[in-house]
Amino acid sequence: MSSYVDDSLIPGERVVKRARLSLMVYAGSGTWLLLFIADLVYVIMAGGLLGWYECLIPLFFFASDVISTMIRVRSTELAVTNKRVLAKTGFISCSTVELSLTALESVLLTQGVLGRILNYGDLAFKGTGNVTVPISYVSHPLEFKREVMAVSDAAKNRAS
């Protein structure tokens, strides 16, 4: 299966850097897993498996959350080429943005304390015409932001 980024390249365009989502997108799944384990321990400690079916509820939500998160991770693409920034999210219904590097005004990076420690964050690309492209849970966001800004500056210098 080819990627959206590779299929969208125009003649003379090459991918400079790709970004992936951080494993922190699975944090919600971890919460459901902890609830399942706590429920299972409670059922066992209560003296039997009479209420074992109660454990199926958090197990169901854990499994569905893992599956939906896996689809989100596999269907999100973010790349910078020598001409533009490309972002694609979604699987069945998808949303794409292609922002020319000459139209790129700024790249906003938001990182909380945990994001700084685990090296993930939210990136938003702001272009002319008030276009903003937000992508959450980007792995190594500072590296990607630095690469986008370097390629954007080079493109703007070539244009002028």
Side-chain angles (χ1 to χ4, degrees), residues 57-100:
I57 295 169
L59 184 61
F60 169 77
F61 283 111
F62 167 70
S64 64
D65 197 48
V66 166
I67 291 168
S68 66
T69 303
M70 286 173 65
I71 291 170
R72 178 180 171 200
V73 167
R74 297 280 295 163
S75 65
T76 299
E77 293 184 56
L78 182 60
V80 61
T81 70
N82 58 333
K83 298 183 183 219
R84 55 198 170 145
V85 175
L86 298 136
K88 177 223 168 227
T89 58
F91 176 63
I92 294 173
S93 66
C94 71
S95 174
T96 62
V97 175
E98 300 174 9
L99 186 60
S100 170

Side-chain angles (χ1 to χ4, degrees), residues 6-159:
D6 294 333
D7 291 343
S8 298
L9 295 177
I10 57 177
E13 187 175 27
R14 63 179 168 69
V15 175
V16 176
K17 181 101 172 146
R18 294 178 191 261
R20 296 185 352 206
L21 295 185
S22 169
L23 292 177
M24 283 304 294
V25 295
Y26 290 100
S29 303
T31 304
W32 285 114
L33 181 62
L34 289 176
L35 285 172
F36 167 71
I37 292 170
D39 201 16
L40 187 62
V41 167
Y42 174 76
V43 167
I44 291 171
M45 299 289 282
L49 292 176
L50 186 61
W52 66 269
Y53 56 87
E54 293 174 6
C55 298
L56 295 179
I57 295 169
L59 184 61
F60 169 77
F61 283 111
F62 167 70
S64 64
D65 197 48
V66 166
I67 291 168
S68 66
T69 303
M70 286 173 65
I71 291 170
R72 178 180 171 200
V73 167
R74 297 280 295 163
S75 65
T76 299
E77 293 184 56
L78 182 60
V80 61
T81 70
N82 58 333
K83 298 183 183 219
R84 55 198 170 145
V85 175
L86 298 136
K88 177 223 168 227
T89 58
F91 176 63
I92 294 173
S93 66
C94 71
S95 174
T96 62
V97 175
E98 300 174 9
L99 186 60
S100 170
L101 291 175
T102 55
L104 182 68
E105 290 181 351
S106 63
V107 180
L108 310 167
L109 168 61
T110 307
Q111 278 185 306
V113 174
L114 195 57
R116 299 272 315 226
I117 294 169
L118 299 176
N119 202 10
Y120 74 91
D122 301 337
L123 288 173
F125 303 93
K126 186 168 172 45
T128 56
N130 216 11
V131 175
T132 303
V133 182
I135 304 285
S136 299
Y137 294 105
V138 176
S139 184
H140 306 286
L142 192 56
E143 288 177 28
F144 190 75
K145 176 184 175 185
R146 194 175 307 129
E147 194 67 41
V148 168
M149 296 309 291
V151 175
S152 176
D153 285 345
K156 288 176 183 173
N157 288 338
R158 280 193 310 266

